[in-house]
Amino acid sequence: MINTRDILETITMIEDEHLDVRTITMGISLLDCADENIDKACVKVYDKICRYAKDLVKTGEDISKEYGIPIIHKRISVTPIAMIAAPCQGRNPVKFAQALERASQSTGVNFIGGYSALVHKGFAPGDYALIESIPEALSVTEHVCSSVNIGSTKTGINMDAVAKMGRIVRQTAELTADRDCIGAAKLVVFCNAPEDNPFMAGAFHGPGEPDCVINVGVSGPGVVRAALAKAGDCDITAVADLVKKTAFKITRTGQLVAQEASRRLCVPFGIIDLSLAPTPAIGDSVAHILEEMGLESCGAHGTTAALALLNDAVKKGGVMASSHVGGLSGAFIPVTEDAGMIDAARSGALSITKLEAMTAVCSVGLDMIVVPGDTTAEIISGIIADEAAIGMVNSKTTAVRLIPAIGKKAGEELNFGGLLGEGPVMEVNRSSPARFISRGGRIPAPMQSLKN
């Protein structure tokens, strides 16, 4: 029986507390599009994406209207393009990025992810060329997102790839310096990348996935914060229980949307990603949840503990509300996309060092962090290596999305607008890791990998 109180509570969540479904992401396999002729391959890629996703945006809009649930983005993820580009040796993979861009425009989606390579154990044919082409690909496209997986718990960390990605991140920022270095905001470097992540910029459709699938990412930091505010001065156990119950309600909304989208598009339902995804809007912040728990500011001592509680409770509540949970699932801490994080960074309460500690207990990693424009490629590689080590040793996904603000210094601002937000340029440790990074090779997999 439908409970009137539950209906009214959901309406309040949507209207006053920023509850939304952040994305419906259609994953599409392009493995059957590979061809030695790059032009033929690009035509196949474009045609297949448009054929499968032609009704994706309309379906999302129809569900949103019928159920009154905001669905912010409709997105596509595809097979890592390095795999599709492998037969086209000697040709510029940017042609694939341009095909993806045309497909995104034809289908009307917000982003398309999968200009990606998986090099956690080494480089296969197609990987070198694709990685080298990333700066150009992201500078000539608007909707294409890129990711590179450079490590995993099972394989260790590919330090040759780490060294290369420090340079690629910097070059990507330089090529889009006239657009606030937006290219780097569409590039993620992973350790333990999941194959079913619906969130950009790291989404790709893994080779172990079905031909086509619907994955949904939920949100709702504002709902969790409002629930804690109403609870008052309860103890920490009660806080965890309240977050768990609230996450359950949020995830049920996502499950409804996922099932409807799957049914209407005649595409299998994949997973619900439970991640609390913040926005720059006031009241839609993970940092504000932590402050509602009792911290004066996000970044204060105690922040890592509070975030660990939040991340665990979100997963415990969400996993009971969905038939399939996957992706990243937890609490995001992207600095420029979170109003509370932005304020904490501006005030100096939140540093990159503290953010790194927080990534040991939450989803993803150092996300949407703006660093000085003169940050060297080796320092960027060092940051990537540190974050990958946290993911490798803890058997979790970690990632780095840094934006070197070309021409700007610490304390200045960079503004992307929209969901990507804005934020201060944060200082980095200037001591050079160049000699360590230049050694190359591979950091061996930890003992945790020997589970067979």
Side-chain angles (χ1 to χ4, degrees), residues 29-375:
S29 172
L30 301 181
L31 291 173
D32 56 344
C33 297
D35 196 294
E36 290 183 1
N37 184 311
I38 192 169
D39 295 315
K40 289 182 179 178
C42 287
V43 170
K44 292 179 184 178
V45 164
Y46 173 84
D47 288 346
K48 184 169 186 180
I49 293 171
C50 291
R51 185 169 69 252
Y52 278 49
K54 66 182 187 300
D55 296 323
L56 176 62
V57 172
K58 182 180 183 300
T59 299
E61 291 172 348
D62 289 346
I63 294 171
S64 184
K65 288 176 185 175
E66 289 180 32
Y67 289 92
I69 300 169
I71 300 173
I72 307 303
H73 276 184
K74 279 69 74 175
R75 301 164 172 169
I76 295 169
S77 64
V78 299
T79 305
I81 291 296
M83 295 181 177
I84 314 305
C88 310
Q89 295 186 26
R91 303 303 302 273
N92 188 349
V94 171
K95 284 194 172 186
F96 284 104
Q98 293 167 328
L100 295 179
E101 179 68 19
R102 292 194 299 273
S104 73
Q105 293 174 357
S106 296
T107 56
V109 295
N110 304 96
F111 288 109
I112 185 164
Y115 198 77
S116 306
L118 310 179
V119 295
H120 36 284
K121 202 170 184 179
F123 298 91
D127 291 333
Y128 273 115
L130 183 125
I131 291 173
E132 290 293 336
S133 75
I134 287 173
E136 181 186 356
L138 297 185
S139 70
V140 300
T141 60
E142 182 181 353
H143 302 92
V144 174
C145 294
S146 179
S147 59
V148 178
N149 192 64
I150 52 84
S152 75
T153 300
K154 292 292 289 184
T155 65
I157 300 171
N158 181 348
M159 291 301 291
D160 294 315
V162 168
K164 185 180 289 290
M165 288 312 300
R167 177 172 54 81
I168 294 298
V169 169
R170 181 163 179 84
Q171 287 179 357
T172 304
E174 289 171 346
L175 280 184
T176 54
D178 60 333
R179 288 166 279 162
D180 290 316
C181 309
I182 188 68
K186 300 187 294 172
L187 172 59
V188 180
V189 186
F190 274 116
C191 178
N192 288 321
E195 296 191 359
D196 54 5
N197 165 27
F199 285 103
M200 298 296 170
F204 64 85
H205 188 70
E209 292 286 299
D211 190 49
C212 189
V213 71
I214 288 292
N215 298 321
V216 166
V218 297
S219 186
V223 178
V224 177
R225 184 196 180 189
L228 289 174
K230 293 171 187 174
D233 293 326
C234 55
D235 69 15
I236 290 296
T237 303
V239 167
D241 194 49
L242 183 60
V243 172
K244 188 166 57 175
K245 292 175 180 176
T246 305
F248 178 89
K249 296 172 185 176
I250 293 169
T251 307
R252 291 304 290 173
T253 302
Q255 177 80 3
L256 169 65
V257 169
Q259 289 175 332
E260 273 299 298
S262 171
R263 182 181 66 81
R264 297 182 189 199
L265 292 166
C266 299
V267 172
F269 161 53
I271 56 93
I272 299 289
D273 188 314
L274 310 175
S275 301
L276 291 180
T279 72
I282 301 300
D284 198 27
S285 162
V286 169
H288 289 159
I289 297 174
L290 306 180
E291 290 165 3
E292 194 64 55
M293 290 183 189
L295 302 173
E296 181 179 356
S297 173
C298 179
H301 295 299
T303 298
T304 306
L307 184 59
L309 180 157
L310 175 64
N311 204 59
D312 180 66
V314 164
K315 291 183 179 182
K316 286 175 177 173
V319 78
M320 291 295 294
S322 175
S323 52
H324 297 287
V325 170
L328 299 164
S329 290
F332 284 177
I333 51 171
V335 175
T336 71
E337 298 177 12
D338 185 305
M341 297 283 177
I342 295 168
D343 290 341
R346 283 176 178 156
S347 71
L350 187 62
S351 66
I352 292 181
T353 303
K354 184 61 177 177
L355 282 163
E356 183 181 294
M358 293 163 66
T359 64
V361 300
C362 78
S363 288
V364 197
L366 296 173
D367 195 18
M368 287 302 289
I369 296 174
V370 185
V371 298
D374 62 354
T375 304

Side-chain angles (χ1 to χ4, degrees), residues 405-424:
I406 306 303
K408 294 183 182 290
K409 299 178 180 179
E412 296 185 62
E413 297 272 328
L414 205 60
N415 192 333
F416 302 107
L419 282 180
L420 295 178
E422 60 183 338

